Amino acid sequence: MDFPKDFTWGAATSAYQIEGAWNEDGRGASIWDTFTRQKGRIEDSSNGDVACDHYHRFKEDVSLMKEIGVKAYRFSVSWSRILPLGRGKINPKGLDFYKRLVDELLKNGIIPFATLYHWDLPQALEDEGGWRSRETAFAFSEYADVLSRSLGDRIKHWITHNEPSVAAFSGYQYGDHAPGVKDLKAALRVSHHLLLSHGLAVPILKKNSPDSEIGITLVNIPAEPASKSAKDREAVRSFDGYYNRWFLDPLYGRGYPEDKLGEYIQSGDLPEREKSFIKKDDLEKIASPFNFLGINYYFRLLIKNEILPNGEKHFASVPPKGKAGYTEMGWEVYPAGLYNALKRVSADYNPAKIYITENGVSYSDGPGKDGKVHDAKRIEYLKNHFLEAYRAFKEGVPLKGYFVWSLLDNFEWAKGFSQRFGIIWVDYKTQKRIIKDSGLWYRKVIEGEKGLE
Ligand code: IFM
């Protein structure tokens, strides 16, 4: 591997998953505070009230980043720390926390990449309809304005949204994420308002932070047909339209994919075009030019065609044939999928810059008798994914950086604390941190030591 010297090796986290301090210094409630308190929502009945207590320990965490040698840190901002009710009254203590965090990063030579929305909508906005309401997109642009006016001098890399597909579909179609709604109609509305909010925020961020770069992060799920049949290939296209093209196409100025629009209008999941919540000019706003595309990659899916009892054509995922490795999330380990995702996005949409804004793995290895964490499987996983990213880079994909998910073990949403993605171990009782072997190995990769592959 011979990435250029300025390649941005980083690590990523998000606010609700690590910060804790859920009711301190004027922070308002978010939908995850509500959701985690509902019975049966979270596998181990935990919540992010304390999590990694990063709010109080951010200096220690920055010093660990420095020890690992990451060049950049991707974190998210808690909207309800800044605007406790989602809009209107600003909470200066919330802004102050992120100023202190960013100053600490800069002091240590670490580039901050700030994500505005990583799923923690202020509960006050949810009470007014949340992302189902168009007004939330405008509240988001107010939040982007407040944040970038205050931190635009220090932060030069902004990411509007993290994985809007997950926010829309897990939050509103499957209901396994906050706010726990199960309704495809709602999810499609939400996806549009998320994209619209991105489009509204881009010019605001540009204005308030003029020499910065702005992007959006999408999780890419490369799909492959389960067989060679035409039906399975058609099902792959349908899945890809649902999960990938639905977001990529409008961001890159193509509007929503016609095949999916037609399908949803026919099934009644989208209103007829003239009555639609997709208003004139929205698509132009969504396609507002931005600087980089963030790609998160975890797994591919093998897709087969399925006819539902009501005759509707559908897709389903099937397990791969033969022996496959799985992570503790139950996801197939498939490094070539990262290469495929990068090549495909690059060929079809031609983004000027791509960052892998998340990739990593959940394995629960903890401290051994020697007090160290020997997570050899994570090293193997990362190594193989780095190599696939490098393969794509060598073939011309404009890959500028790679953020490992995650810096710290943390609160894994519906799975609570049962999953550990960190390159740093966190003991949730004592809040002690230990850099895992993978973190020490990552340092060598970043330093450019030869022979690691
Ligand atoms: O922990 C999540 C993160 O918040 C978003 N991307 C996937 C990760 C692993 O599930």
Side-chain angles (χ1 to χ4, degrees):
M1 261 189 331
D2 202 10
F3 280 115
K5 280 265 163 302
D6 63 351
F7 191 75
T8 307
W9 290 110
T13 63
S14 89
Y16 189 73
Q17 293 179 275
I18 65 163
E19 282 179 4
W22 73 288
N23 59 357
E24 274 181 58
D25 292 341
R27 175 186 178 278
S30 86
I31 52 175
W32 276 91
D33 297 304
T34 310
F35 189 70
T36 50
R37 280 165 174 73
Q38 294 166 358
K39 219 167 166 260
R41 295 292 201 184
I42 310 298
E43 221 172 86
D44 57 5
S45 306
S46 62
N47 58 46
D49 286 7
V50 178
C52 307
D53 196 28
H54 172 78
Y55 189 78
H56 298 114
R57 294 167 196 265
F58 72 90
K59 286 197 175 168
E60 180 188 350
D61 292 337
V62 174
S63 77
L64 290 167
M65 291 178 216
K66 174 102 175 156
E67 207 175 320
I68 294 175
V70 294
K71 294 183 182 171
Y73 173 51
R74 173 178 176 240
F75 61 97
S76 81
V77 174
S78 153
W79 184 343
S80 62
R81 273 196 206 287
I82 309 299
L83 295 160
L85 298 177
R87 59 164 83 84
K89 201 166 174 298
I90 299 170
N91 176 30
K93 286 190 176 167
L95 283 171
D96 188 55
F97 167 67
Y98 293 104
K99 276 188 195 155
R100 285 183 286 126
L101 168 63
V102 169
D103 285 348
E104 191 67 18
L105 289 167
L106 295 173
K107 200 172 90 190
N108 284 281
I110 299 168
I111 307 165
F113 276 61
T115 304
L116 273 73
Y117 188 71
H118 198 122
W119 309 347
D120 44 356
L121 185 72
Q123 181 60 41
L125 293 180
E126 178 60 26
D127 295 341
E128 296 171 14
W131 286 111
R132 279 156 294 191
S133 157
R134 190 175 172 86
E135 288 311 307
T136 299
F138 294 95
F140 182 79
S141 60
E142 182 179 328
Y143 161 53
D145 186 42
V146 170
L147 195 62
S148 55
R149 267 194 285 118
S150 177
L151 285 122
D153 57 338
R154 299 162 163 89
I155 298 179
K156 299 297 172 195
H157 295 84
W158 298 95
I159 297 173
T160 53
H161 282 278
N162 179 69
E163 302 179 357
S165 56
V166 178
F169 299 133
S170 291
Y172 296 84
Q173 182 187 6
Y174 307 117
D176 55 325
H177 279 192
V181 176
K182 288 187 180 173
D183 176 8
L184 176 59
K185 281 196 191 84
L188 293 173
R189 243 185 122 83
V190 164
S191 66
H192 179 65
H193 294 146
L194 286 165
L195 286 168
L196 176 62
S197 74
H198 156 86
L200 294 172
V202 169
I204 296 171
L205 294 170
K206 272 194 192 150
K207 180 168 130 287
N208 294 342
S209 189
D211 45 354
S212 66
E213 301 222 311
I214 298 152
I216 183 168
T217 281
L218 304 180
V219 62
N220 190 283
I221 304 186
E224 295 170 30
S227 79
K228 288 194 182 121
S229 77
K231 281 194 170 158
D232 284 354
R233 275 186 277 129
E234 211 182 286
V236 164
R237 181 156 170 78
S238 177
F239 172 82
D240 185 58
Y242 160 71
Y243 214 84
N244 298 322
R245 286 184 287 123
W246 189 255
F247 297 88
L248 283 161
D249 278 13
L251 286 168
Y252 284 95
R254 299 181 192 171
Y256 290 103
E258 273 304 322
D259 55 327
K260 298 310 283 186
L261 275 178
E263 180 188 320
Y264 292 141
I265 291 173
Q266 208 188 359
S267 63
D269 291 310
L270 275 184
E272 294 292 334
R273 291 174 207 250
E274 22 338 311
K275 297 188 195 136
S276 181
F277 50 80
I278 306 169
K279 304 284 176 218
K280 200 170 158 276
D281 301 339
D282 283 3
L283 290 168
E284 206 179 304
K285 293 196 178 89
I286 292 172
S288 182
F290 56 98
N291 305 95
F292 66 88
L293 179 66
I295 293 281
N296 293 356
Y297 172 75
Y298 289 93
F299 55 84
R300 65 150 175 189
L301 284 180
L302 287 179
I303 297 289
K304 79 169 168 80
N305 172 70
E306 195 179 65
I307 308 284
L308 299 181
N310 64 4
E312 235 176 69
K313 271 196 290 174
H314 202 66
F315 44 75
S317 75
V318 295
K321 286 201 187 98
K323 221 170 144 227
Y326 289 91
T327 75
E328 289 180 25
M329 290 291 281
W331 297 340
E332 184 196 3
V333 178
Y334 190 67
L338 176 57
Y339 168 87
N340 294 339
L342 291 170
K343 289 286 283 189
R344 182 277 169 103
V345 164
S346 181
D348 287 1
Y349 299 95
N350 198 23
K353 294 182 182 184
I354 299 181
Y355 288 90
I356 295 166
T357 37
E358 283 182 32
N359 171 246
V361 64
S362 162
Y363 291 130
S364 53
D365 315 78
K369 285 205 180 89
D370 58 0
K372 296 181 178 156
V373 181
H374 301 300
D375 58 338
K377 279 192 294 180
R378 179 171 289 99
I379 296 178
E380 187 65 14
Y381 177 101
L382 290 175
K383 185 178 82 183
N384 291 332
H385 284 78
F386 290 177
L387 287 171
E388 290 295 335
Y390 185 61
R391 184 153 74 99
F393 169 78
K394 279 308 247 192
E395 292 175 16
V397 169
L399 185 63
K400 301 294 172 194
Y402 199 127
F403 291 78
V404 170
W405 184 269
S406 176
L407 179 75
L408 303 167
D409 289 338
N410 60 47
F411 177 78
E412 178 55 27
W413 309 111
K415 301 264 179 197
F417 292 103
S418 68
Q419 302 289 323
R420 290 180 175 270
F421 276 88
I423 53 172
I424 296 176
W425 165 270
V426 178
D427 179 327
Y428 297 113
K429 284 205 185 86
T430 61
Q431 293 296 346
K432 187 175 167 206
R433 275 91 159 121
I434 301 169
I435 300 181
K436 300 180 189 178
D437 283 359
S438 56
L440 302 172
W441 172 84
Y442 192 32
R443 179 168 67 195
K444 294 188 195 153
V445 174
I446 297 169
E447 282 168 356
E449 237 173 70
K450 296 284 171 207
L452 290 169
E453 58 270 28

PDB file of all heavy atoms in Angstrom, residues 156 158 202 206 210 212-216 252 288-293 351-355:
ATOM      1  N   LYS A 156     -13.127  22.864   8.895  1.00  0.00           N
ATOM      2  CA  LYS A 156     -13.025  23.055   7.444  1.00  0.00           C
ATOM      3  C   LYS A 156     -13.539  21.849   6.673  1.00  0.00           C
ATOM      4  O   LYS A 156     -13.414  21.787   5.443  1.00  0.00           O
ATOM      5  CB  LYS A 156     -11.565  23.341   7.057  1.00  0.00           C
ATOM      6  CG  LYS A 156     -11.015  24.603   7.715  1.00  0.00           C
ATOM      7  CD  LYS A 156     -11.768  25.838   7.266  1.00  0.00           C
ATOM      8  CE  LYS A 156     -11.361  27.072   8.041  1.00  0.00           C
ATOM      9  NZ  LYS A 156     -12.321  28.174   7.869  1.00  0.00           N
ATOM     10  N   TRP A 158     -17.092  19.596   6.604  1.00  0.00           N
ATOM     11  CA  TRP A 158     -18.451  19.427   7.126  1.00  0.00           C
ATOM     12  C   TRP A 158     -19.144  18.280   6.404  1.00  0.00           C
ATOM     13  O   TRP A 158     -19.054  18.180   5.180  1.00  0.00           O
ATOM     14  CB  TRP A 158     -19.273  20.702   6.888  1.00  0.00           C
ATOM     15  CG  TRP A 158     -18.739  21.926   7.568  1.00  0.00           C
ATOM     16  CD1 TRP A 158     -17.908  22.867   7.027  1.00  0.00           C
ATOM     17  CD2 TRP A 158     -19.021  22.359   8.908  1.00  0.00           C
ATOM     18  NE1 TRP A 158     -17.652  23.857   7.953  1.00  0.00           N
ATOM     19  CE2 TRP A 158     -18.332  23.570   9.114  1.00  0.00           C
ATOM     20  CE3 TRP A 158     -19.797  21.842   9.954  1.00  0.00           C
ATOM     21  CZ2 TRP A 158     -18.378  24.276  10.316  1.00  0.00           C
ATOM     22  CZ3 TRP A 158     -19.859  22.535  11.148  1.00  0.00           C
ATOM     23  CH2 TRP A 158     -19.148  23.739  11.325  1.00  0.00           C
ATOM     24  N   VAL A 202     -26.117  23.154   2.398  1.00  0.00           N
ATOM     25  CA  VAL A 202     -24.833  23.298   1.681  1.00  0.00           C
ATOM     26  C   VAL A 202     -24.456  24.772   1.455  1.00  0.00           C
ATOM     27  O   VAL A 202     -23.362  25.202   1.860  1.00  0.00           O
ATOM     28  CB  VAL A 202     -24.827  22.472   0.365  1.00  0.00           C
ATOM     29  CG1 VAL A 202     -23.624  22.824  -0.493  1.00  0.00           C
ATOM     30  CG2 VAL A 202     -24.841  20.985   0.668  1.00  0.00           C
ATOM     31  N   LYS A 206     -21.266  26.831   3.133  1.00  0.00           N
ATOM     32  CA  LYS A 206     -20.274  27.476   2.247  1.00  0.00           C
ATOM     33  C   LYS A 206     -20.101  28.940   2.609  1.00  0.00           C
ATOM     34  O   LYS A 206     -18.995  29.462   2.634  1.00  0.00           O
ATOM     35  CB  LYS A 206     -20.749  27.384   0.794  1.00  0.00           C
ATOM     36  CG  LYS A 206     -20.305  26.128   0.119  1.00  0.00           C
ATOM     37  CD  LYS A 206     -20.506  26.242  -1.386  1.00  0.00           C
ATOM     38  CE  LYS A 206     -20.319  24.867  -2.000  1.00  0.00           C
ATOM     39  NZ  LYS A 206     -21.112  24.675  -3.213  1.00  0.00           N
ATOM     40  N   PRO A 210     -16.272  29.696   4.380  1.00  0.00           N
ATOM     41  CA  PRO A 210     -16.040  29.776   2.929  1.00  0.00           C
ATOM     42  C   PRO A 210     -14.940  28.875   2.382  1.00  0.00           C
ATOM     43  O   PRO A 210     -15.076  28.363   1.306  1.00  0.00           O
ATOM     44  CB  PRO A 210     -15.697  31.251   2.707  1.00  0.00           C
ATOM     45  CG  PRO A 210     -15.709  31.922   4.019  1.00  0.00           C
ATOM     46  CD  PRO A 210     -16.099  30.953   5.077  1.00  0.00           C
ATOM     47  N   SER A 212     -14.098  25.964   3.309  1.00  0.00           N
ATOM     48  CA  SER A 212     -14.236  24.593   3.808  1.00  0.00           C
ATOM     49  C   SER A 212     -14.711  23.652   2.704  1.00  0.00           C
ATOM     50  O   SER A 212     -15.114  24.090   1.627  1.00  0.00           O
ATOM     51  CB  SER A 212     -15.237  24.560   4.950  1.00  0.00           C
ATOM     52  OG  SER A 212     -16.518  24.888   4.477  1.00  0.00           O
ATOM     53  N   GLU A 213     -14.667  22.356   2.995  1.00  0.00           N
ATOM     54  CA  GLU A 213     -15.175  21.344   2.071  1.00  0.00           C
ATOM     55  C   GLU A 213     -16.420  20.733   2.686  1.00  0.00           C
ATOM     56  O   GLU A 213     -16.457  20.467   3.902  1.00  0.00           O
ATOM     57  CB  GLU A 213     -14.141  20.255   1.882  1.00  0.00           C
ATOM     58  CG  GLU A 213     -12.832  20.776   1.350  1.00  0.00           C
ATOM     59  CD  GLU A 213     -12.263  19.870   0.284  1.00  0.00           C
ATOM     60  OE1 GLU A 213     -12.190  18.665   0.515  1.00  0.00           O
ATOM     61  OE2 GLU A 213     -11.926  20.401  -0.804  1.00  0.00           O
ATOM     62  N   ILE A 214     -17.413  20.500   1.847  1.00  0.00           N
ATOM     63  CA  ILE A 214     -18.698  20.011   2.354  1.00  0.00           C
ATOM     64  C   ILE A 214     -19.050  18.697   1.676  1.00  0.00           C
ATOM     65  O   ILE A 214     -18.876  18.547   0.463  1.00  0.00           O
ATOM     66  CB  ILE A 214     -19.794  21.072   2.113  1.00  0.00           C
ATOM     67  CG1 ILE A 214     -19.425  22.331   2.899  1.00  0.00           C
ATOM     68  CG2 ILE A 214     -21.168  20.574   2.540  1.00  0.00           C
ATOM     69  CD1 ILE A 214     -19.948  23.583   2.323  1.00  0.00           C
ATOM     70  N   GLY A 215     -19.539  17.777   2.470  1.00  0.00           N
ATOM     71  CA  GLY A 215     -19.921  16.478   1.904  1.00  0.00           C
ATOM     72  C   GLY A 215     -21.134  15.898   2.588  1.00  0.00           C
ATOM     73  O   GLY A 215     -21.743  16.512   3.483  1.00  0.00           O
ATOM     74  N   ILE A 216     -21.503  14.727   2.149  1.00  0.00           N
ATOM     75  CA  ILE A 216     -22.581  13.959   2.781  1.00  0.00           C
ATOM     76  C   ILE A 216     -22.110  12.507   2.803  1.00  0.00           C
ATOM     77  O   ILE A 216     -21.381  12.078   1.903  1.00  0.00           O
ATOM     78  CB  ILE A 216     -23.920  14.115   2.016  1.00  0.00           C
ATOM     79  CG1 ILE A 216     -25.052  13.354   2.730  1.00  0.00           C
ATOM     80  CG2 ILE A 216     -23.817  13.674   0.564  1.00  0.00           C
ATOM     81  CD1 ILE A 216     -26.451  13.690   2.221  1.00  0.00           C
ATOM     82  N   TYR A 252     -26.778  13.848  -7.196  1.00  0.00           N
ATOM     83  CA  TYR A 252     -25.973  14.135  -8.381  1.00  0.00           C
ATOM     84  C   TYR A 252     -26.820  14.651  -9.550  1.00  0.00           C
ATOM     85  O   TYR A 252     -26.472  14.491 -10.718  1.00  0.00           O
ATOM     86  CB  TYR A 252     -25.123  12.907  -8.759  1.00  0.00           C
ATOM     87  CG  TYR A 252     -23.948  12.798  -7.807  1.00  0.00           C
ATOM     88  CD1 TYR A 252     -24.007  11.990  -6.681  1.00  0.00           C
ATOM     89  CD2 TYR A 252     -22.815  13.590  -7.975  1.00  0.00           C
ATOM     90  CE1 TYR A 252     -22.953  11.941  -5.765  1.00  0.00           C
ATOM     91  CE2 TYR A 252     -21.751  13.551  -7.081  1.00  0.00           C
ATOM     92  CZ  TYR A 252     -21.828  12.725  -5.976  1.00  0.00           C
ATOM     93  OH  TYR A 252     -20.783  12.693  -5.078  1.00  0.00           O
ATOM     94  N   SER A 288     -27.510  20.762  -5.018  1.00  0.00           N
ATOM     95  CA  SER A 288     -26.568  21.848  -4.768  1.00  0.00           C
ATOM     96  C   SER A 288     -25.138  21.280  -4.709  1.00  0.00           C
ATOM     97  O   SER A 288     -24.883  20.341  -3.951  1.00  0.00           O
ATOM     98  CB  SER A 288     -26.991  22.465  -3.426  1.00  0.00           C
ATOM     99  OG  SER A 288     -26.184  23.526  -3.124  1.00  0.00           O
ATOM    100  N   PRO A 289     -24.201  21.808  -5.517  1.00  0.00           N
ATOM    101  CA  PRO A 289     -22.881  21.156  -5.611  1.00  0.00           C
ATOM    102  C   PRO A 289     -22.148  21.084  -4.261  1.00  0.00           C
ATOM    103  O   PRO A 289     -22.133  22.057  -3.511  1.00  0.00           O
ATOM    104  CB  PRO A 289     -22.113  22.046  -6.588  1.00  0.00           C
ATOM    105  CG  PRO A 289     -23.122  22.908  -7.247  1.00  0.00           C
ATOM    106  CD  PRO A 289     -24.318  22.996  -6.366  1.00  0.00           C
ATOM    107  N   PHE A 290     -21.596  19.934  -3.993  1.00  0.00           N
ATOM    108  CA  PHE A 290     -20.826  19.754  -2.753  1.00  0.00           C
ATOM    109  C   PHE A 290     -19.460  19.169  -3.108  1.00  0.00           C
ATOM    110  O   PHE A 290     -19.228  18.790  -4.254  1.00  0.00           O
ATOM    111  CB  PHE A 290     -21.603  18.888  -1.751  1.00  0.00           C
ATOM    112  CG  PHE A 290     -22.021  17.540  -2.270  1.00  0.00           C
ATOM    113  CD1 PHE A 290     -21.272  16.407  -1.986  1.00  0.00           C
ATOM    114  CD2 PHE A 290     -23.165  17.403  -3.045  1.00  0.00           C
ATOM    115  CE1 PHE A 290     -21.657  15.156  -2.466  1.00  0.00           C
ATOM    116  CE2 PHE A 290     -23.556  16.152  -3.537  1.00  0.00           C
ATOM    117  CZ  PHE A 290     -22.798  15.034  -3.239  1.00  0.00           C
ATOM    118  N   ASN A 291     -18.555  19.116  -2.135  1.00  0.00           N
ATOM    119  CA  ASN A 291     -17.164  18.826  -2.466  1.00  0.00           C
ATOM    120  C   ASN A 291     -16.761  17.356  -2.420  1.00  0.00           C
ATOM    121  O   ASN A 291     -15.892  16.930  -3.165  1.00  0.00           O
ATOM    122  CB  ASN A 291     -16.218  19.589  -1.529  1.00  0.00           C
ATOM    123  CG  ASN A 291     -16.510  21.062  -1.541  1.00  0.00           C
ATOM    124  OD1 ASN A 291     -17.246  21.572  -0.698  1.00  0.00           O
ATOM    125  ND2 ASN A 291     -15.982  21.757  -2.534  1.00  0.00           N
ATOM    126  N   PHE A 292     -17.339  16.609  -1.490  1.00  0.00           N
ATOM    127  CA  PHE A 292     -16.902  15.202  -1.407  1.00  0.00           C
ATOM    128  C   PHE A 292     -18.052  14.298  -1.003  1.00  0.00           C
ATOM    129  O   PHE A 292     -19.015  14.722  -0.362  1.00  0.00           O
ATOM    130  CB  PHE A 292     -15.719  15.037  -0.441  1.00  0.00           C
ATOM    131  CG  PHE A 292     -16.045  15.324   1.008  1.00  0.00           C
ATOM    132  CD1 PHE A 292     -16.536  14.330   1.843  1.00  0.00           C
ATOM    133  CD2 PHE A 292     -15.846  16.595   1.550  1.00  0.00           C
ATOM    134  CE1 PHE A 292     -16.824  14.589   3.185  1.00  0.00           C
ATOM    135  CE2 PHE A 292     -16.129  16.869   2.885  1.00  0.00           C
ATOM    136  CZ  PHE A 292     -16.625  15.859   3.699  1.00  0.00           C
ATOM    137  N   LEU A 293     -17.893  13.048  -1.403  1.00  0.00           N
ATOM    138  CA  LEU A 293     -18.871  12.040  -1.020  1.00  0.00           C
ATOM    139  C   LEU A 293     -18.249  11.141   0.047  1.00  0.00           C
ATOM    140  O   LEU A 293     -17.132  10.642  -0.138  1.00  0.00           O
ATOM    141  CB  LEU A 293     -19.258  11.205  -2.252  1.00  0.00           C
ATOM    142  CG  LEU A 293     -20.274  10.091  -1.994  1.00  0.00           C
ATOM    143  CD1 LEU A 293     -21.638  10.670  -1.608  1.00  0.00           C
ATOM    144  CD2 LEU A 293     -20.420   9.206  -3.229  1.00  0.00           C
ATOM    145  N   PRO A 351     -17.754  11.499  -8.481  1.00  0.00           N
ATOM    146  CA  PRO A 351     -17.493  12.508  -7.452  1.00  0.00           C
ATOM    147  C   PRO A 351     -16.032  12.957  -7.510  1.00  0.00           C
ATOM    148  O   PRO A 351     -15.145  12.163  -7.825  1.00  0.00           O
ATOM    149  CB  PRO A 351     -17.757  11.771  -6.126  1.00  0.00           C
ATOM    150  CG  PRO A 351     -17.713  10.328  -6.448  1.00  0.00           C
ATOM    151  CD  PRO A 351     -17.992  10.162  -7.913  1.00  0.00           C
ATOM    152  N   ALA A 352     -15.808  14.246  -7.219  1.00  0.00           N
ATOM    153  CA  ALA A 352     -14.438  14.768  -7.307  1.00  0.00           C
ATOM    154  C   ALA A 352     -13.555  14.132  -6.230  1.00  0.00           C
ATOM    155  O   ALA A 352     -12.370  13.889  -6.440  1.00  0.00           O
ATOM    156  CB  ALA A 352     -14.461  16.282  -7.137  1.00  0.00           C
ATOM    157  N   LYS A 353     -14.150  13.899  -5.061  1.00  0.00           N
ATOM    158  CA  LYS A 353     -13.388  13.331  -3.940  1.00  0.00           C
ATOM    159  C   LYS A 353     -14.275  12.344  -3.197  1.00  0.00           C
ATOM    160  O   LYS A 353     -15.471  12.618  -2.988  1.00  0.00           O
ATOM    161  CB  LYS A 353     -12.990  14.410  -2.936  1.00  0.00           C
ATOM    162  CG  LYS A 353     -12.025  15.414  -3.461  1.00  0.00           C
ATOM    163  CD  LYS A 353     -11.669  16.407  -2.383  1.00  0.00           C
ATOM    164  CE  LYS A 353     -10.720  17.457  -2.972  1.00  0.00           C
ATOM    165  NZ  LYS A 353     -10.254  18.401  -1.983  1.00  0.00           N
ATOM    166  N   ILE A 354     -13.676  11.259  -2.754  1.00  0.00           N
ATOM    167  CA  ILE A 354     -14.400  10.300  -1.913  1.00  0.00           C
ATOM    168  C   ILE A 354     -13.592  10.085  -0.640  1.00  0.00           C
ATOM    169  O   ILE A 354     -12.359   9.956  -0.683  1.00  0.00           O
ATOM    170  CB  ILE A 354     -14.569   8.931  -2.620  1.00  0.00           C
ATOM    171  CG1 ILE A 354     -15.382   9.077  -3.912  1.00  0.00           C
ATOM    172  CG2 ILE A 354     -15.208   7.904  -1.692  1.00  0.00           C
ATOM    173  CD1 ILE A 354     -15.604   7.758  -4.662  1.00  0.00           C
ATOM    174  N   TYR A 355     -14.272  10.076   0.480  1.00  0.00           N
ATOM    175  CA  TYR A 355     -13.674   9.598   1.730  1.00  0.00           C
ATOM    176  C   TYR A 355     -14.447   8.361   2.160  1.00  0.00           C
ATOM    177  O   TYR A 355     -15.690   8.353   2.064  1.00  0.00           O
ATOM    178  CB  TYR A 355     -13.818  10.643   2.853  1.00  0.00           C
ATOM    179  CG  TYR A 355     -12.927  11.851   2.695  1.00  0.00           C
ATOM    180  CD1 TYR A 355     -13.370  12.966   1.988  1.00  0.00           C
ATOM    181  CD2 TYR A 355     -11.656  11.872   3.244  1.00  0.00           C
ATOM    182  CE1 TYR A 355     -12.563  14.081   1.832  1.00  0.00           C
ATOM    183  CE2 TYR A 355     -10.842  12.987   3.101  1.00  0.00           C
ATOM    184  CZ  TYR A 355     -11.297  14.088   2.395  1.00  0.00           C
ATOM    185  OH  TYR A 355     -10.490  15.182   2.243  1.00  0.00           O
TER     186      TYR A 355
END
